[in-house]
Amino acid sequence: MKVVIVGGVAGGMSAATRLRRLNESAEIIVLEKGPYVSFANCGLPYYVAGEIEERNDLLVQTPEALQARFELDIRPYSEAVAIDTKQKEVAVRTIEGEYKLSYDKLILSPGAKPFIPSAKGLEEAKNIFTLRSVPDVDAITAFIEEENPKKAVIIGAGFIGLEMAESLVHRGLDVTIIEKAPQVLPPLDEEMAVYITKELNANGIELHTGAAAESFEEEGKVIVLDNGERLESDITLMSVGVKPETNLALTAGIETGLSGGILVNEQYETSQKDIYAVGDAIVVKQQINGEDTMIALASPANRQGRQVADVISGLPRKNKGSIGTAIVRVFNQTAASTGLNERQLKQANEKYEIVHIQGKSHAGYYPNAGTILLKLLFNPLNGKIYGAQAVGEDGVDKRIDIIATAIKAGMSVHELPELEFTYAPPYGSAKDPVNMAGYAALNIIEGVSDSIQWHELEARQEEGYLLLDVRNENELVNNGRLKGAMNIPLDQLRERLSEVPKHQPIIVSCHSGLRSYIAERILKQKGYKVKNLDGAFALYSTVRPEKVEK
């Protein structure tokens, strides 16, 4: 069997090495149009920052090493430019010329390429870069060393954009970010992204959200925004997203779908016989709701590469889809998400509920416990977990990984309190934030608690709800109070119930939501109509600081 793989890195190289482990006699050829077939593209921003000091550390495997260990025929600087499906041949372009390469099975792993929006003056700009490969990072670092830029502009506040913002700050540049969406990190919901915005501001980054680059002047030295603002830039990074690299697939008449991605079935087969596809270029199923989506992440690409090798080797594997689990460090904060966010659930007309849990990365009484804000989205009828997001200084990865695993395992919120984690004070809490999110979700499902979200508070107050703050007086003095709130500390509530009007519906709030839940239970059992402000003062005051009175 002769297998030709177009594209290396995550999907292609996982397929090649797995194929060899399963088929010692197969002829396996990997075509890579660039110089490097196996490199750590997720590490590129950290090389720019200097955290990864040696460039060679980015190169995971060389063609020589892959030949020696796996007997793979690795061909760098070899671009597949056309496919003849009838003759089962690939046209390959090299520096020396073009040749035809036959195949029995063909695996396409072309990846994705940076999306470059059209803008006046962009072609004349000489200081604009993208970051997807080692040559890209070489160009960026060479420009920094040779031109000594002072001001950097990053267009796009997604994961790569924010990682590069931090990296360039570490290199001593003044950094400005432009993001067309109204918030940074569009995969996160608004209130969660606010914490990352605060961290960016705290580190001196100028942020322009709800704005786009309309034109470039003076060979890219001046960027004109669609709101009329003009920004100076010595170096600009375009990081507005990626689009699937499908030109080769189109030459073979392969069917494409969402966003131009390659359509594959559960065995990664394309619409053309004996041609398979994996990685960032393919359309996958969002495993939670079965909808078509594009997920350009390393972990799914690696898994797909291994699975397609299994399929070709006759093993029973199916592409079950992906849920989109991702994480980013932004200076001292970490943000991570898995599954669907609120915007996606609204677009799909799904019925959902939310709980926000504020917990600690490990036992609060043990030194250096960091705060984690965890958001869980779920179906209130059956407890199905739709997704989760978290922000904090430490322990965010652990909690999102746990919930991502629960989603993949088909668990509901009913199982979250039952999960058992290792516990010692330096590592966790006896009641982990994931457990607590499960408890809070169950309280909503079972009618023990009713909540409202931060963005609903003002409307409810206008409807006549009384806001009752059960924090202590010193907390109000030190942290501020919410406008229009009545204050009765929780420990005095039972004795001062006569002060709470029974004819008026109540919204209770505390610092994080725990004490207000206790207040809710007290009041409900006394005949009051009560709702708990989910996330409480800590969340609301972060998203709506203008509503806090000092």
Side-chain angles (χ1 to χ4, degrees):
M1 180 171 59
K2 183 178 182 180
V3 181
V4 174
I5 301 172
V6 177
V9 198
M13 291 314 304
S14 293
T17 53
R18 176 65 170 172
L19 269 171
R20 174 58 71 220
R21 292 193 293 272
L22 296 176
N23 301 273
E24 184 61 24
S25 62
E27 182 181 1
I28 304 170
I29 301 169
V30 181
L31 304 175
E32 172 57 49
K33 68 178 179 180
Y36 305 106
V37 74
S38 181
F39 64 91
N41 52 0
C42 294
L44 299 178
Y46 304 103
Y47 176 68
V48 174
E51 293 181 76
I52 297 174
E53 297 180 359
E54 298 297 329
R55 181 179 178 279
N56 282 343
D57 289 341
L58 297 172
L59 307 179
V60 180
Q61 290 284 1
T62 65
E64 294 77 17
L66 290 165
Q67 167 65 34
R69 177 163 297 181
F70 295 102
E71 201 173 343
L72 300 175
D73 183 352
I74 307 295
R75 303 183 186 183
Y77 297 110
S78 299
E79 182 180 6
V81 293
I83 302 170
D84 185 332
T85 57
K86 292 183 179 179
Q87 297 297 321
K88 298 184 74 172
E89 289 181 339
V90 180
V92 185
R93 181 183 298 152
T94 69
I95 298 172
E96 290 79 21
E98 194 170 298
Y99 67 91
K100 297 291 181 67
L101 180 64
S102 64
Y103 65 85
D104 295 315
K105 304 288 184 181
L106 178 64
I107 301 174
L108 303 181
S109 181
K113 57 186 176 182
F115 173 71
I116 307 296
S118 60
K120 182 180 178 182
L122 186 59
E123 292 184 1
E124 291 78 26
K126 297 181 178 179
N127 61 346
I128 295 180
F129 299 88
T130 58
L131 184 63
R132 288 287 292 178
S133 66
V134 174
D136 289 342
V137 83
D138 287 342
I140 291 170
T141 53
F143 185 89
I144 292 173
E145 290 166 5
E146 294 168 8
E147 302 295 331
N148 193 26
K150 304 298 182 184
K151 295 183 178 181
V153 172
I154 295 175
I155 301 177
F159 292 99
I160 298 297
L162 295 190
E163 288 172 346
M164 279 300 293
E166 179 180 349
S167 296
L168 292 175
V169 167
H170 289 324
R171 292 291 295 252
L173 280 73
D174 292 330
V175 177
T176 297
I177 296 176
I178 304 168
E179 171 55 56
K180 190 173 183 179
Q183 65 175 69
V184 301
L185 284 180
L188 265 62
D189 289 321
E190 177 184 354
E191 78 278 18
M192 306 299 285
V194 166
Y195 289 83
I196 302 304
T197 295
K198 289 182 64 177
E199 185 68 12
L200 292 168
N201 293 335
N203 284 276
I205 290 179
E206 183 180 332
L207 190 60
H208 296 262
T209 54
E214 191 170 72
S215 64
F216 296 81
E217 299 178 357
E218 299 179 25
E219 296 184 332
K221 289 285 188 178
V222 175
I223 302 173
V224 182
L225 305 186
D226 55 3
N227 59 13
E229 289 190 72
R230 298 170 66 87
L231 304 176
E232 294 182 4
S233 177
D234 298 320
I235 180 171
T236 299
L237 179 77
M238 299 292 287
S239 184
V240 296
V242 297
K243 59 181 180 179
E245 180 63 86
T246 56
N247 289 339
L248 178 64
L250 294 175
T251 70
I254 291 173
E255 292 181 8
T256 58
L258 177 72
S259 302
I262 299 171
L263 292 175
V264 297
N265 64 13
E266 290 183 328
Q267 282 73 44
Y268 299 99
E269 294 171 312
T270 70
S271 59
Q272 293 288 358
K273 182 176 173 56
D274 293 325
I275 301 180
Y276 304 78
V278 297
D280 296 352
I282 71 170
V283 176
V284 298
K285 295 295 183 184
Q286 167 51 258
Q287 197 169 344
I288 296 168
N289 61 9
E291 297 292 324
D292 284 352
T293 188
M294 301 291 295
I295 296 178
L297 294 170
S299 180
N302 275 291
R303 179 177 69 249
Q304 293 161 13
R306 180 186 175 96
Q307 288 180 339
V308 76
D310 288 353
V311 168
I312 290 173
S313 302
L315 295 176
R317 297 287 182 267
K318 283 187 178 181
N319 175 12
K320 298 179 180 179
S322 297
I323 61 175
T325 305
I327 191 167
V328 63
R329 186 195 71 190
V330 183
F331 297 99
N332 294 316
Q333 288 288 314
T334 298
S337 65
T338 188
L340 303 174
N341 58 30
E342 261 195 271
R343 182 177 61 258
Q344 292 168 317
L345 290 170
K346 287 177 181 176
Q347 290 173 347
N349 293 316
E350 295 281 4
K351 185 176 180 60
Y352 66 94
E353 285 285 352
I354 300 165
V355 292
H356 292 86
I357 297 296
Q358 191 174 104
K360 295 294 184 181
S361 56
H362 57 252
Y365 58 83
Y366 188 83
N368 302 317
T371 298
I372 296 173
L373 178 64
L374 175 63
K375 177 178 185 177
L376 181 69
L377 301 107
F378 61 97
N379 186 309
L381 302 178
N382 58 21
K384 179 179 180 177
I385 303 171
Y386 287 132
Q389 300 161 37
V391 292
E393 293 183 8
D394 188 31
V396 166
D397 53 342
K398 174 179 177 179
R399 275 70 190 195
I400 293 299
D401 285 345
I402 290 166
I403 295 175
T405 302
I407 293 173
K408 280 280 190 175
M411 294 182 181
S412 71
V413 296
H414 299 82
E415 279 76 53
L416 296 185
E418 297 292 329
L419 296 179
E420 297 182 19
F421 310 116
T422 55
Y423 165 57
Y427 301 106
S429 302
K431 292 181 180 179
D432 190 87
V434 174
N435 297 136
M436 297 308 295
Y439 285 127
L442 281 180
N443 282 338
I444 291 175
I445 289 174
E446 295 171 352
V448 175
S449 179
D450 296 284
S451 66
I452 67 164
Q453 294 303 310
W454 59 273
H455 55 82
E456 300 175 300
L457 177 57
E458 294 168 49
R460 291 304 177 98
Q461 286 179 290
E462 291 175 3
E463 292 172 7
Y465 276 77
L466 172 67
L467 179 59
L468 176 61
D469 192 330
V470 298
R471 291 178 296 155
N472 297 326
E473 181 64 31
N474 66 311
E475 293 178 86
L476 275 64
V477 172
N478 294 331
N479 302 321
R481 66 175 68 222
L482 298 179
K483 289 181 181 179
M486 175 184 185
N487 175 239
I488 301 177
L490 175 63
D491 293 342
Q492 302 173 23
L493 182 59
R494 289 182 178 87
E495 294 129 22
R496 297 173 59 182
L497 274 177
S498 60
E499 300 176 35
V500 184
K502 205 158 191 176
H503 66 279
Q504 192 173 8
I506 309 294
I507 294 171
V508 285
S509 177
C510 61
H511 177 71
S512 64
L514 176 58
R515 282 173 293 171
S516 55
Y517 164 63
I518 297 171
E520 177 191 8
R521 294 304 306 148
I522 293 171
L523 291 168
K524 277 186 171 178
Q525 293 177 80
K526 296 295 184 179
Y528 288 83
K529 179 182 178 181
V530 189
K531 292 184 180 294
N532 191 359
L533 178 60
D534 187 39
F537 178 85
L539 177 62
Y540 187 82
S541 62
T542 301
V543 185
R544 293 276 194 267
E546 71 279 4
K547 299 295 183 180
V548 178
E549 297 176 334
K550 294 293 185 180

